[in-house]
């Protein structure tokens, strides 16, 4: 049967502009999460997992408050990470991106993402709708993996806060991308987290 995997980046963080890596949601981030929950209200969600970071946990709590039948579960496989390291194939425009990542962090990220794919992409006997509330690079790596693209190709994929990316997995078939970074539930002023603002 078919598994639908809904990949969602956490809401906007309150102090991200000051270089704080993790922390509580901003008021705008809380509104993003509430609108996300409204958007998902008609989806027959089977499971919900979230990264145990503060921002992802608070996003999951807001979704649960509005969809009380759900029981979100934390998973360390959804923590933010660097999915792979520099190779000769990486375009020069991205080469500086790895300056702050150690070889150990890169290896840990690669292993984490391999485990995350094996854990969460698992079509079975019944149709499933699974929600993962996680971080930008994790979602980028899931999309890269779905396309079997070069290892570095998660670079350049950006997910907006509380944007929805949907993958479809069926036994014996390649995973397909149903939609990427769907923001229809968010008004323009709540579409944050992108490297560049959307032109439309």
């Amino acid at each position: 049967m078919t598994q639908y995997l809904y990949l969602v980046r956490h809401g906007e963080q309150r102090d991200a502009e000051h270089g704080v890596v993790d922390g509580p949601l901003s008021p705008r981030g809380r509104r993003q999460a509430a609108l996300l929950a409204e958007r998902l209200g008609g989806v027959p969600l089977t499971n919900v997992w979230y990264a145990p970071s503060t921002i992802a946990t608070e996003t999951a709590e807001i979704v649960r408050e509005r969809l009380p039948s759900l029981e979100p579960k934390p998973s360390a496989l959804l923590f933010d990470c660097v999915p792979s390291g520099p190779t000769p194939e990486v375009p020069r425009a991205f080469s500086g991106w790895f300056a702050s990542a150690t070889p150990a962090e890169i290896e840990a990220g690669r292993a984490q993402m391999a485990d995350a794919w094996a854990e969460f992409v698992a079509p079975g006997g019944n149709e499933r709708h699974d929600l993962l509330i996680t971080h930008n690079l994790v979602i980028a790596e899931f999309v890269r993996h779905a396309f079997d693209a070069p290892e570095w190709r998660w670079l350049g994929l950006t997910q907006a806060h509380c944007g929805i990316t949907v993958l479809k997995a069926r036994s014996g078939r390649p995973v397909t991308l149903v939609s990427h970074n769907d923001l229809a539930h968010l008004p323009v002023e709540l579409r944050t987290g992108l490297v560049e603002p959307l032109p439309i």
Side-chain angles (χ1 to χ4, degrees):
M1 292 293 286
T2 302
Q3 177 195 23
Y4 292 93
L5 200 61
Y6 302 81
L7 304 168
V8 170
R9 186 181 182 186
H10 56 78
E12 181 187 69
Q13 183 187 335
R14 187 174 64 199
D15 298 316
E17 69 271 20
H18 302 300
V20 178
V21 176
D22 188 24
L25 294 173
S26 68
R28 186 161 52 183
R30 298 187 68 79
R31 181 67 180 140
Q32 290 164 340
L35 291 172
L36 168 68
E38 288 180 22
R39 177 76 183 279
L40 295 173
V43 177
L45 291 171
T46 312
N47 299 289
V48 181
W49 290 278
Y50 61 93
S53 59
T54 300
I55 41 180
T57 299
E58 289 192 1
T59 302
E61 288 172 351
I62 290 170
V63 170
R64 183 188 54 78
E65 287 168 6
R66 286 158 177 78
L67 302 173
S69 64
L70 300 179
E71 294 183 14
K73 299 176 284 292
S75 173
L77 294 175
L78 298 176
F79 267 128
D80 206 5
C81 68
V82 180
S84 66
T87 65
E89 294 77 29
V90 175
R92 294 184 69 181
F94 291 129
S95 60
W97 201 95
F98 298 100
S100 62
T102 68
E105 288 171 334
I106 291 168
E107 265 318 298
R110 182 181 282 113
Q112 174 188 321
M113 290 310 306
D115 290 346
W117 183 270
E119 176 75 16
F120 295 116
V121 182
N126 299 312
E127 182 170 295
R128 288 168 49 192
H129 296 261
D130 297 331
L131 171 63
L132 308 183
I133 299 172
T134 182
H135 295 265
N136 184 48
L137 300 186
V138 173
I139 297 170
E141 174 60 13
F142 267 86
V143 173
R144 182 214 65 81
H145 198 300
F147 282 109
D148 196 23
E151 188 181 63
W152 61 269
R153 201 59 190 92
W154 55 269
L155 288 160
L157 287 173
T158 305
Q159 183 86 2
H161 295 122
C162 288
I164 303 171
T165 289
V166 183
L167 299 180
K168 181 179 180 180
R170 290 177 287 180
S171 298
R173 301 187 187 185
V175 175
T176 57
L177 180 66
V178 177
S179 67
H180 179 254
N181 211 17
D182 182 347
L183 304 177
H185 52 294
L186 299 177
V188 173
E189 65 272 16
L190 294 183
R191 296 179 181 182
T192 61
L194 297 170
V195 176
E196 298 179 8
L198 291 173
I200 55 171

